[in-house]
Amino acid sequence: RKVGIIGVPFDKGQKKEGVARGPETIRAANLVDKLKILELDVRDYGDVHYNVNDINDVKNMSHLGHVASCMNNLSEQIQQVLRDGRQALTIGGDHSLSIGTIDGHVKERQDVAVIWVDAHADLNTNKTSESGNVHGMPVALLTSELADYWPYLPGMDWQMPILSIRNVAYIGLRSIDRYERLIIEKFGITAYGMEDIERYGIHDVVHMALNKIDSHNSKSLHVSFDIDALDPLEAPSTGTPVRGGLSLREAIHLMEEISRTHRLTAIDLVEVNPQIGNKQDVKMTVQAAIHIIQAALGYSRRGLRVPEGVTD
Ligand code: DIR
Ligand code: MN
Ligand code: MN
Ligand code: MN
């Protein structure tokens, strides 16, 4: 199997410095070598760069010019990775980068289902957001049902809100803004919060989510993993931690189960901020990220298989 890595050193979707250094920090922890032991053909496509668009400001939406131009390039890059026959692994960077990855995935593969693993719903528009941060808005930008809630967004003409909200499932929610809750209820969005994980366990939650958004086991799957879905005890180095989150064990199991579908096409791992916490905090957070990525790309806790031909 073949994987393409894309780094997105982007931090303009939120206000804390440091998250742009996520990609270099994760790479420096030997990401590529830790994927090669899974016998993957790994190609690192490097970081996505962009020139800032000088566009008019949109009310309560910070740095739209940066978002628009970076995510346009990222969308093109994802399409290239998929055309090269590789699974796409995108490391961030803040969560606004999923605007680019999911746009590119949908343009290339059409029938896409998204598992959004996050403490937050990232479902605000510029009218409902209390922060003006675009990393709290990607799901609302990507989905067709929410398109009418937006004003015209200069620079975003390339972006097509063609994903149906019926093809999105949340796992790990525990910090939802008022209007986000309203939208989740209005559209009956598939959402499993921490209390559902308590009640059903992570294994059943993953399969209930997949049954809802991909009932014929036919779609190209995209996991958008915000590291703040994890409990801050296990992933402290992130901008908006919320206590009472997923254990690393639960996150690994989630990824193992999705990986076993053999339809996992794209993974985003976002919001690792190496400038938050001490050295040990950063190390723990980055290691957690790498374990999650390995599980997504086929690592099994049952052990690796002996390569074919070696046993006889
Ligand atoms: C909040 C926080 N709902 C916002 N969102 C975060 O700014 O819209 N998402 N942190 O990851
Ligand atoms: Mn989050
Ligand atoms: Mn997020
Ligand atoms: Mn966040």
Side-chain angles (χ1 to χ4, degrees):
R1 288 181 305 116
K2 305 207 288 181
V3 177
I5 299 174
I6 304 169
V8 189
F10 188 81
D11 63 1
K12 296 287 184 283
Q14 48 85 65
K15 294 186 178 73
K16 290 183 186 169
E17 235 175 80
V19 73
R21 301 189 54 199
E24 61 180 273
T25 311
I26 294 169
R27 283 194 183 97
N30 286 327
L31 174 66
V32 172
D33 290 342
K34 286 173 181 169
L35 296 180
K36 282 187 176 160
I37 56 173
L38 306 178
E39 289 174 60
L40 295 170
D41 171 340
V42 184
R43 173 167 165 204
D44 192 337
Y45 288 72
D47 287 341
V48 167
H49 300 284
Y50 65 98
N51 299 311
V52 190
N53 276 339
D54 198 12
I55 52 143
N56 291 333
D57 285 345
V58 168
K59 199 185 69 168
N60 198 35
M61 206 173 174
S62 303
H63 303 296
L64 178 59
H66 287 261
V67 173
S69 130
C70 180
M71 301 321 152
N72 189 3
N73 292 357
L74 175 56
S75 172
E76 305 271 327
Q77 180 66 282
I78 286 279
Q79 293 173 61
Q80 186 58 54
V81 172
L82 299 187
R83 280 196 298 268
D84 290 346
R86 294 175 183 273
Q87 284 174 286
L89 168 63
T90 307
I91 50 179
D94 75 59
H95 215 165
S96 54
L97 69 80
S98 293
I99 298 163
T101 59
I102 293 173
D103 181 85
H105 189 172
V106 174
K107 279 174 180 158
E108 180 60 31
R109 295 291 153 89
Q110 288 80 46
D111 236 357
V112 173
V114 175
I115 301 100
W116 196 275
V117 189
D118 204 322
H120 311 90
D122 298 351
L123 197 49
N124 280 304
T125 67
N126 69 315
K127 295 177 189 112
T128 66
S129 173
E130 293 166 24
S131 67
N133 293 336
V134 177
H135 81 155
M137 308 179 185
V139 181
L141 282 163
L142 286 160
T143 47
S144 48
E145 288 87 347
L146 286 159
D148 292 344
Y149 293 80
W150 289 96
Y152 173 70
L153 298 175
M156 294 290 281
D157 306 275
W158 58 272
Q159 192 250 338
M160 292 197 270
I162 45 182
L163 179 75
S164 170
I165 195 70
R166 292 189 306 273
N167 299 137
V168 177
Y170 288 111
I171 296 179
L173 299 179
R174 58 191 182 279
S175 175
I176 303 174
D177 300 335
R178 280 173 205 280
Y179 283 98
E180 290 182 316
R181 175 172 179 169
L182 188 75
I183 295 290
I184 289 170
E185 289 175 354
K186 177 178 160 82
F187 291 98
I189 299 174
T190 303
Y192 297 98
M194 289 312 301
E195 57 188 291
D196 298 300
I197 294 163
E198 286 299 315
R199 186 183 296 249
Y200 303 110
I202 190 66
H203 181 90
D204 286 3
V205 162
V206 171
H207 289 282
M208 290 189 294
L210 289 173
N211 282 338
K212 290 250 181 169
I213 60 175
D214 180 28
S215 52
H216 299 293
N217 302 321
S218 60
K219 293 196 161 69
S220 184
L221 301 180
H222 191 119
V223 175
S224 193
F225 199 108
D226 186 328
I227 200 74
D228 72 29
L230 291 186
D231 194 282
L233 289 170
E234 301 204 67
S237 295
T238 190
T240 52
V242 186
R243 297 192 63 184
L246 294 177
S247 67
L248 178 58
R249 271 165 55 182
E250 287 167 328
I252 289 171
H253 187 77
L254 176 156
M255 282 303 205
E256 284 176 350
E257 288 302 293
I258 295 173
S259 173
R260 286 181 182 129
T261 66
H262 298 294
R263 280 178 291 104
L264 178 51
T265 306
I267 304 138
D268 310 330
L269 196 298
V270 303
E271 301 282 358
V272 171
N273 187 333
Q275 273 165 236
I276 291 176
N278 61 31
K279 248 180 152 176
Q280 181 56 34
D281 292 334
V282 174
K283 191 174 169 189
M284 188 163 40
T285 307
V286 169
Q287 282 176 345
I290 288 180
H291 279 294
I292 289 164
I293 291 166
Q294 284 184 312
L297 295 175
Y299 182 82
S300 168
R301 289 173 290 180
R302 293 169 193 170
L304 299 171
R305 286 203 169 83
V306 174
E308 249 168 80
V310 176
T311 36
D312 31 62

